[in-house]
Amino acid sequence: MSMDTMSTVTVTVPLRYADPDQPAGIFYAGQHAASSASFRTVDTTITNARPIASEFSLDVHGFALVKHQTAVRDFADEDEVKRVYTAELEELVKGATGAVKVVVFHTMARFEDGEKRGERQPARAAHADYDGPSFEVWIRRAMGAEADEWLAGRWSEINVWRGIRPVERVPLAVTDARTVGLDEYMSVPIHERPDEPQPFVGLNLMHDPKQRWYYFPDMQPDEALLFRLWDTDPAVPFPVAHSAIDDPTSRPDAAPRASVEARTVAFFG
């Protein structure tokens, strides 16, 4: 089926966007409740992309759903994640992009109500993580002196998102990057907590009716959602705005969402 014939398979959910009439504020990644970033809620139509999953690609839309089996048994085990998952993602992103080198520079798990236990919670606002200079900070921290040589060429930031268990509720929605311009993002400082400043600038999306949103319900642990957040090639579609959403089709007794995401950078020589 084509996207046109499937266009009526949608949900409408309240989604938080940056408020262009208010100051940008500050977003605290490790303490959402303390953030002063300004948002407005807009009822947003999001297409169920599951029946047309094969039609999406990183090079056309900025995102793609792929099959990917991981050997990680416990994503709470940082040593296992570094030892097993890092190598898996390097090969996955190389295969998906054609990159000659991939570096995994940030992996985190998110859980519903996670903040109460000192864990990350789903990010419930339309955003695209960081701007280009902020990603360069992350990359330099991960690569050290080696970074200069690789950053001189083309590079692309690719996120890899998956459920630790089946995602029965609070899935991740993503935009078709072709329908969103960089001028539709509001820059906002991102700190870890009020007492932990960081040199990062995030991108919160402002609403525009032409933006097109998609999601893949019931993602399984052997599936991964890849999406591009930055690229030094302006001809490539980016960034992909994304947000956790409350899927109205989820069962009332669905298991709370548990997911893991990894930020990677793909280098093309």
Side-chain angles (χ1 to χ4, degrees), residues 39-92:
F39 298 98
R40 62 171 52 167
T41 300
V42 180
D43 286 343
T44 301
T45 298
I46 303 180
T47 298
N48 178 347
R50 176 65 70 179
I52 49 173
S54 63
E55 298 190 18
F56 295 97
S57 73
L58 278 171
D59 289 339
V60 176
H61 309 89
F63 68 89
L65 184 73
V66 300
K67 281 287 189 181
H68 182 252
Q69 186 71 52
T70 176
V72 176
R73 289 186 284 185
D74 182 7
F75 276 101
D77 184 337
E78 293 184 8
D79 289 337
E80 183 183 13
V81 170
K82 289 179 181 178
R83 185 179 69 255
V84 178
Y85 201 45
T86 296
E88 291 178 346
L89 293 185
E90 288 172 357
E91 292 307 309
L92 173 63

Side-chain angles (χ1 to χ4, degrees), residues 15 17 44 46 56 61-63 126-128 172-180 185 205 211-215 227-228 237-243:
L15 196 56
Y17 295 88
T44 301
I46 303 180
F56 295 97
H61 309 89
F63 68 89
H127 68 287
L172 191 71
V174 294
T175 55
D176 181 338
R178 300 173 301 174
T179 69
V180 184
Y185 288 92
L205 183 64
Q211 295 159 357
R212 293 291 175 264
W213 285 87
Y214 298 89
Y215 82 115
F227 53 98
R228 179 184 289 107
F238 77 94
V240 171
H242 52 285
S243 176

Side-chain angles (χ1 to χ4, degrees), residues 113-230:
D113 300 323
E115 197 169 50
K116 298 176 182 177
R117 301 185 299 273
E119 299 167 332
R120 299 282 188 179
Q121 61 181 315
R124 295 175 178 270
H127 68 287
D129 290 20
Y130 301 107
D131 63 6
S134 296
F135 278 125
E136 286 199 16
V137 173
W138 277 109
I139 294 164
R140 291 181 189 281
R141 286 182 177 182
M143 299 181 69
E146 183 186 13
D148 283 340
E149 175 185 354
W150 287 100
L151 287 171
R154 182 197 164 199
W155 59 269
S156 180
E157 197 286 337
I158 305 292
N159 264 27
V160 182
W161 190 95
R162 73 187 321 129
I164 294 173
R165 54 177 175 253
V167 181
E168 299 178 356
R169 49 179 281 129
V170 195
L172 191 71
V174 294
T175 55
D176 181 338
R178 300 173 301 174
T179 69
V180 184
L182 267 175
D183 60 349
E184 294 167 39
Y185 288 92
M186 178 182 291
S187 297
V188 57
I190 295 182
H191 297 170
E192 183 60 19
R193 290 178 176 82
D195 59 347
E196 294 183 45
Q198 297 284 345
F200 300 127
V201 174
L203 299 176
N204 287 344
L205 183 64
M206 295 176 284
H207 178 259
D208 189 292
K210 70 176 176 56
Q211 295 159 357
R212 293 291 175 264
W213 285 87
Y214 298 89
Y215 82 115
F216 298 91
D218 299 315
M219 277 184 60
Q220 300 299 304
D222 66 347
E223 294 179 311
L225 180 59
L226 278 60
F227 53 98
R228 179 184 289 107
L229 291 182
W230 202 263

